[in-house]
Amino acid sequence: MAGLEALYAWARAAVSRPQDALLCAVHWELVRNGYRCLGAGDQPGPDERKSELLPAGWEANKEVYTLRYKSTDDARELLLKAIMVEDSMILNVMDRSSQKVADVTLAVADYINPEHLDDFHKVYKNTEELRTRIASGIIASLGAPAEKPKKELEAEKKDPDLLRDSDPLRVPPRQPAGTRAPSWPSPVNPFAVGGEDLDPFGGRRGGMIVDPLRSGFAQPGIDPSSGIPGRLPPGAVPPGARFDPFGPLGAGRSGPDPDHLPPPGYDDMFM
């Protein structure tokens, strides 16, 4: 029960009986499940705010503990009454909005070592069973709060990119978000000689192979990492990787593909 140790150390001065220690555990389990304490008593007090800590005077009545809670999404407000009957604590929790009520009875001796109230590491026992009893008897009966506040859900609805990135079946892009693909060097660079041989898309100049369909005309650079409409999705080719294209890159290209033409004299037996 991570976090309970810090709460118990903070509330240790007020813990004088085993039922005090048990109530600390019940309180923290409600906090873990999305509730925050508003205060003690049936009625709200001045300047109340939601807190993970127990309010002042929470242990004043050793026979009936009364605490009020509100969910982190502000959808539910709970009224908790922990009533001591002999050696048992009866937890009566009501959701004030729906008027639903949940009850759980806990034998204090099953979860608290009364002789070790000063030692957090020895005072609690059977913690997993205690958590299960509270989760099934209270949290599940009344309904757990929403995992995300309303403001976060509204922000996701407005931003489709957030919903798309949260899809567990979506393949993430190879290029990190927020980065730009590397730009090709300027064709006027004297060191770009032979660079076109490394760029299958013809965005650079200086290659040894002459393409009659492109020579003398400036061609816009094509970055394969950004995808090819109708052929490759964005990120299919890592930025800067060598990639041999397949098929025509666009409908505007006319004439035969040089790669599909036979070499001159291929059928001349004397050559």
Side-chain angles (χ1 to χ4, degrees):
M1 301 177 72
L4 177 59
E5 182 176 2
L7 173 70
Y8 193 82
W10 174 85
R12 175 61 193 91
V15 176
S16 59
R17 295 187 182 182
Q19 56 261 39
D20 295 335
L22 181 58
L23 187 70
C24 285
V26 173
H27 164 84
W28 187 248
E29 194 61 24
L30 290 174
V31 170
R32 287 184 65 256
N33 283 275
Y35 290 94
R36 299 294 181 266
C37 190
L38 294 175
D42 297 275
Q43 300 302 322
D47 302 326
E48 281 190 345
R49 64 184 64 182
K50 293 186 289 187
S51 175
E52 295 183 357
L53 301 177
L54 285 163
W58 64 274
E59 81 297 350
N61 189 337
K62 303 292 186 182
E63 302 302 322
V64 180
Y65 301 85
T66 304
L67 297 172
R68 287 175 294 105
Y69 295 85
K70 199 167 190 177
S71 59
T72 53
D73 59 359
D74 295 329
R76 293 182 174 88
E77 183 172 344
L78 305 183
L79 175 63
L80 166 67
K81 286 185 178 291
I83 305 168
M84 290 301 303
V85 179
E86 296 182 351
D87 296 330
S88 297
M89 176 181 286
I90 301 175
L91 300 177
N92 180 274
V93 185
M94 181 184 69
D95 185 339
R96 287 187 161 179
S97 58
S98 64
Q99 300 299 310
K100 293 176 62 176
V101 177
D103 294 286
V104 175
T105 300
L106 304 174
V108 178
D110 290 346
Y111 308 104
I112 304 296
N113 290 314
E115 64 275 13
H116 296 296
L117 295 180
D118 291 330
D119 189 348
F120 169 80
H121 299 285
K122 296 180 180 180
V123 67
Y124 291 106
K125 57 183 178 180
N126 303 324
T127 55
E128 289 302 321
E129 179 186 335
L130 176 60
R131 291 179 57 184
T132 302
R133 294 285 305 279
I134 298 173
S136 60
I138 297 177
I139 304 301
S141 298
L142 300 179
E147 294 183 358
K148 294 185 178 181
K150 295 180 180 179
K151 293 182 179 180
E152 292 186 15
L153 294 176
E154 292 175 358
E156 286 188 356
K157 292 180 181 179
K158 294 179 180 179
D159 191 347
D161 292 337
L162 292 178
L163 293 176
R164 182 184 62 189
D165 291 340
S166 63
D167 186 356
L169 300 179
R170 178 175 175 267
V171 178
R174 293 176 180 266
Q175 182 174 328
T179 61
R180 298 180 59 185
S183 58
W184 300 114
S186 171
V188 299
N189 185 352
F191 297 101
V193 176
E196 190 171 86
D197 298 334
L198 302 178
D199 176 16
F201 291 94
R204 302 171 65 177
R205 303 293 299 276
M208 296 181 294
I209 301 176
V210 178
D211 185 351
L213 298 179
R214 291 191 304 214
S215 60
F217 298 94
Q219 299 290 333
I222 300 177
D223 180 9
S225 65
S226 61
I228 300 176
R231 294 186 176 274
L232 290 176
V237 179
R242 296 190 61 181
F243 172 72
D244 294 331
F246 47 87
L249 296 181
R253 178 168 178 158
S254 60
D257 189 333
D259 292 338
H260 296 168
L261 295 179
Y266 78 100
D267 56 350
D268 189 344
M269 61 180 295
F270 298 103
M271 289 188 67

